Amino acid sequence: KENEHLALGQFRVVSKKKLKTHWLIEVEHVPPTAAAAPVEAPPVQPTPAERPTKKPFKKRKKKKLPKIHIVSEGEKTEIEKVKGDSIPARYAVVPLRKLIASHDFSKGAPRKRGRYPDSLQPRDYSPGNHEAMKVVNMAMDGKAAFYISDHPAADSGPPSVTPDGIVINGNGRVMSLQYAAYEMGGYDWYKSLLIKNAKKFGLDPRKVKAEDHPVLVRIVEMDANGEEAQKFAVAGNIPSIQYFPAAVK
C-alpha cells in the first residue's frame, strides 16, 4: 500500500527466496516511460450514412444601397435612347446630398466617388481637366433651362438616376449643382424655376420649396452594376449630341 503509485508502471523480478510460511520476492519497478506503449485500435471510419454532409456554398450577395429619399414624386415619363426605343421613368425631386455622381464637387476640386461604378463614366473629371472645367462653367452660367425641361433624350433635361440615387446620365449636371450649392452659396436660379414648374411634372411645389437643395431627376428601375445601365449610360455620354434644350416657360 505504501507503493500503490508504482502500479502506474510495470515490475521486474530481481530475486526470490522461499521462507517457512511465504516467499520473499524482490522486484524492481519499471517507470511508465520505459513501459511498452499500449497498441491503439484503429479509428472507426464512419459509414456513408454517418458522414456529415457539407452545406452547399452560398454566394454572398452585395449589400444594396437604401432607396433614395424622395421629396416629391411626380408623373411617369419615358426617356428615349439613341436607337429610338425608350425606357420608362418617373419624375421626382430628391435632395442633392443624396445623389451619387461619379465625382463630388461639393468642396470645389472633384473627388472620385468610391461607390460609383466605373463602367458608367468614361469621361475624365480629374482636377484641371477640360471636363472638370465644363462642370464649373455650367454652375457659373446658371442656365436653369438646361436642367429643368421635359426633353425626352437621355443626354438632356433632368438627370437619370437609379432608385438608390446613382446617376446614370447627367453626372455633369448633378456635379455642377454641387459646385453651385456648396462653393457658390446656392442655386436660387435653379430652385426658383423648379418651384414655378413643379406642377407640370406632377410635383408638389410646397415640398420642393421646403427642401434646401432640391434636384429634379428621372428615376429608372435599373441596377447600376448591370449591363442595361451600362448601355443606357452610353446614350447620355456622347459629347457631340449635348446641347441646351428650350426653356420651360
Side-chain angles (χ1 to χ4, degrees):
K1 288 186 178 180
E2 293 179 358
N3 297 308
E4 283 183 354
H5 64 281
L6 297 179
L8 293 174
Q10 294 182 351
F11 300 93
R12 182 169 55 240
V13 177
V14 177
S15 65
K16 58 183 178 178
K17 182 178 181 181
K18 186 176 181 182
L19 303 177
K20 289 183 179 181
T21 58
H22 59 276
W23 283 83
L24 177 63
I25 301 174
E26 183 181 359
V27 297
E28 183 181 34
H29 177 247
V30 181
T33 53
V39 179
E40 294 183 1
V44 180
Q45 297 294 331
T47 62
E50 294 175 340
R51 292 192 184 113
T53 56
K54 291 184 179 180
K55 293 183 179 179
F57 176 75
K58 291 184 179 180
K59 189 177 181 181
R60 289 186 179 181
K61 295 182 178 179
K62 290 184 178 180
K63 287 186 178 180
K64 291 185 176 180
L65 295 172
K67 288 190 175 183
I68 191 171
H69 170 65
I70 295 177
V71 175
S72 180
E73 189 173 47
E75 297 177 350
K76 292 182 179 179
T77 185
E78 290 187 345
I79 305 174
E80 294 181 0
K81 295 194 295 184
V82 177
K83 293 183 179 180
D85 52 347
S86 59
I87 293 175
R90 182 181 289 277
Y91 288 114
V93 167
V94 299
L96 174 63
R97 67 184 183 279
K98 295 295 184 180
L99 289 171
I100 303 174
S102 62
H103 293 72
D104 183 6
F105 276 73
S106 62
K107 294 184 179 180
R111 294 177 300 160
K112 190 174 181 180
R113 295 294 298 271
R115 291 189 296 175
Y116 191 87
D118 292 336
S119 58
L120 300 182
Q121 183 54 274
R123 298 178 185 170
D124 182 8
Y125 284 98
S126 56
N129 187 277
H130 172 68
E131 294 293 342
M133 293 305 300
K134 281 173 60 177
V135 169
V136 175
N137 290 337
M138 287 168 60
M140 296 178 68
D141 288 344
K143 295 180 179 180
F146 180 67
Y147 308 80
I148 304 170
S149 77
D150 56 1
H151 198 290
D155 66 302
S156 302
S160 306
V161 306
T162 61
D164 48 14
I166 294 179
V167 182
I168 300 178
N169 290 316
N171 273 280
R173 283 158 268 171
V174 172
M175 293 185 290
S176 65
L177 291 177
Q178 292 174 345
Y179 190 90
Y182 302 110
E183 283 293 302
M184 298 175 61
Y187 50 64
D188 290 339
W189 48 270
Y190 175 90
K191 185 174 180 178
S192 59
L193 186 64
L194 180 54
I195 295 171
K196 180 181 177 181
N197 293 279
K199 291 184 178 180
K200 294 181 180 180
F201 298 100
L203 304 165
D204 186 342
R206 294 174 298 177
K207 292 182 179 180
V208 176
K209 185 178 181 179
E211 175 63 35
D212 291 337
H213 298 117
V215 182
L216 176 64
V217 298
R218 292 174 289 185
I219 297 179
V220 294
E221 293 294 330
M222 289 185 183
D223 177 4
N225 295 293
E227 185 178 356
E228 184 183 16
Q230 294 177 23
K231 291 181 178 179
F232 185 44
V234 174
N237 281 291
I238 304 175
S240 61
I241 62 173
Q242 288 183 342
Y243 61 94
F244 285 82
V248 178
K249 298 180 180 179

